[in-house]
Amino acid sequence: MKNFVPGPTYEEMLYPEELPQTIRTKAAAAQADELDPANLFNITWRRSDNRIRHVVLPKELTGVEANILVLVGRHFPSGSHKVGPAYATLMEGELAGEIVPGKSTMIGPSTGNFGIGVAYISRLKGYRAIVIMPEQMSAERYERIRHYGGQLDLTPGSESDVILVLERTREYRKDTRNKVLAQFELLPNYRFHRYVTGRSALEVANEYGNGRVAAFVAAPGSAGTLAAGDEIKSRFRGCIVCAPEPRECSTLFNNGRGTHRIEGIGDKMVTLIHNVLTTDYVALIHDEDCLIGLQLLQQRPALVEQLVHLPEGSLKCFRDLFGVSSLCNILGAIRMARFLGLGSEDNVVTIATDGFDRYPSVLADLEERCGPFAEPEVRDSFEKLFRGGDAADLLDVRSAKEKERLFGYKEEVWAGFGYSHTYLEGMKSQSFWDAETEKIAEIDAALAQARSR
Ligand SMILES: Cc1ncc(COP(=O)(O)O)c(C=O)c1O
């Protein structure tokens, strides 16, 4: 392929140590310049010493016995793990001949992080990128996209108006030089998270407690990250997969469709790539709780340490690691652990998709709306967030009736985008998802061949 800029296979994103040493050396050196294309080989959950990036939350903070393990996404190139699905979708498009290196234009429908990933990967691989996203997302998101040379096409509204973003992509599809990297509907997103994130999560859990995963918690935007739950379930059948969503936009819970403040999740739909068969619970989390939780950990850690009798400075290591949706996942994980009555040998795995660098403007806005965060409020907020939560905010969606309801929501959206009844019916069987995962071997072989030419 002329002008083809090489990147890693799925296997190499999971095990970068399998890369030839010359590439590893170049990738390590490229960390000094984020626009060096060798950074494509840094798309992985691993640090340079091969350990999966994660933190374990102190039990004094969580108030539960179970180990709450958080995979940390902010060290991925471009600042969030969403760069993984962006890369995988582009890479598969190149192999399928749908994307012509150096010539095609990448279209990234997004609420921010996927768009940042699309702009970034396109820059590294030499493509023009247009990111379609709502106009009311955090200022830091637009800045990053522009910084990577991406062009913005903004649609009205905020996080929960993603459907307008999808509708806008229709126009771009008319020009065959455009390739829509459709995160809500294309399976590379599923494959990246099932294989790379899922196996990384299993490896982390292996180091703690009984080595198993009792629950996996990931709030869905595209629902790509939730695919890690499929991989975990294939190893530990009893693992409970929980999808938190904003109380203000309780789509999976009860078809609620309001606006909310948790950027990246709660998109008012069941996405096409959401395997609803493996989602066991939906948890409602108040959006403002996630903002306040972030404010507590980021701006008031010393007060929290005092409150829960942790040694001074023990929460310092979490500084900058979390964004708003990370707090949604963390609160969901704590509440799930409490609800399931998990003990000290049990592990709950969850995800911090991005870090604080995307949110200074969001916390500044919170302070403007609510005033400065005074000490007595910190105490009350901490209790409410980290010790609160109600069983009524959890919905068990394991029954056939609930699955049919969720399939119905999915069909409602995606039949309108041209997906046939037969294709949608196929998604009602786990074998559909397993077959999509098995394609990884073939895709990796094709990429290895393209790289050797
Ligand atoms: C900050 C943030 N959190 C969570 C998510 C949800 O991840 P996924 O799209 O894999 O469901 C996204 C997706 O864009 C995000 O940007």
Side-chain angles (χ1 to χ4, degrees), residues 352-415:
T353 304
D354 60 6
F356 185 66
D357 57 295
R358 262 69 160 158
Y359 302 99
S361 67
V362 172
L363 286 198
D365 173 68
L366 178 69
E367 189 156 332
E368 205 166 289
R369 284 189 289 117
C370 306
F373 208 11
E375 195 173 332
E377 290 167 14
V378 168
R379 192 178 301 271
D380 291 350
S381 297
F382 178 83
E383 279 297 312
K384 179 168 159 266
L385 268 59
F386 286 87
R387 303 292 181 260
D390 196 319
D393 290 338
L394 287 172
L395 180 68
D396 183 343
V397 292
R398 289 176 291 184
S399 67
K401 190 168 162 238
E402 287 296 332
K403 296 298 175 205
E404 272 311 313
R405 180 178 66 84
L406 295 170
F407 283 132
Y409 288 179
K410 183 187 274 196
E411 204 151 353
E412 209 177 281
V413 175
W414 296 100

Side-chain angles (χ1 to χ4, degrees), residues 74-264:
R74 69 156 284 187
H75 302 287
F76 273 83
S78 88
S80 90
H81 75 54
K82 292 292 295 184
V83 76
Y87 165 74
T89 313
L90 203 160
M91 170 270 277
E92 286 198 25
E94 287 177 327
L95 294 175
E98 295 162 2
I99 295 174
V100 186
K103 291 206 171 135
S104 306
T105 296
M106 298 306 113
I107 310 298
S110 174
T111 57
N113 279 325
F114 183 76
I116 293 171
V118 167
Y120 179 74
I121 297 293
S122 301
R123 171 73 178 254
L124 265 44
K125 277 182 156 277
Y127 295 98
R128 182 172 165 237
I130 301 173
V131 177
I132 312 171
M133 60 188 277
E135 64 190 355
Q136 289 167 26
M137 309 309 291
S138 77
E140 292 84 352
R141 283 168 157 71
Y142 307 117
E143 279 160 26
R144 275 268 187 153
I145 289 166
R146 288 196 191 97
H147 171 69
Y148 295 139
Q151 196 181 319
L152 283 162
D153 180 358
L154 303 182
T155 52
S158 63
E159 181 67 49
S160 42
D161 299 297
V162 171
I163 207 85
L164 300 178
V165 169
L166 293 185
E167 280 165 9
R168 183 70 59 87
T169 64
R170 286 186 211 261
E171 293 161 35
Y172 286 97
R173 286 179 204 268
K174 290 177 193 158
D175 185 337
T176 54
R177 286 167 300 182
N178 293 333
K179 167 69 182 172
V180 182
L181 303 180
Q183 59 163 331
F184 301 95
E185 53 198 293
L186 296 180
L187 278 306
N189 186 2
Y190 177 84
R191 276 188 274 276
F192 174 82
H193 282 299
R194 173 148 180 191
Y195 196 75
V196 183
T197 306
R199 292 188 179 202
S200 299
L202 284 165
E203 192 175 312
V204 165
N206 194 37
E207 290 177 31
Y208 298 94
N210 58 16
R212 304 165 67 87
V213 183
F216 175 71
V217 178
S222 70
T225 314
L226 267 176
D230 287 24
E231 191 63 14
I232 297 169
K233 270 184 187 257
S234 73
R235 181 85 63 88
F236 301 121
R237 275 190 65 185
C239 170
I240 294 288
V241 173
C242 170
E245 62 178 3
R247 174 189 293 287
E248 295 70 20
C249 185
S250 52
T251 310
L252 304 179
F253 201 91
N254 59 3
N255 209 8
R257 304 200 177 203
T259 55
H260 68 92
R261 296 177 187 275
I262 314 177
E263 297 187 34

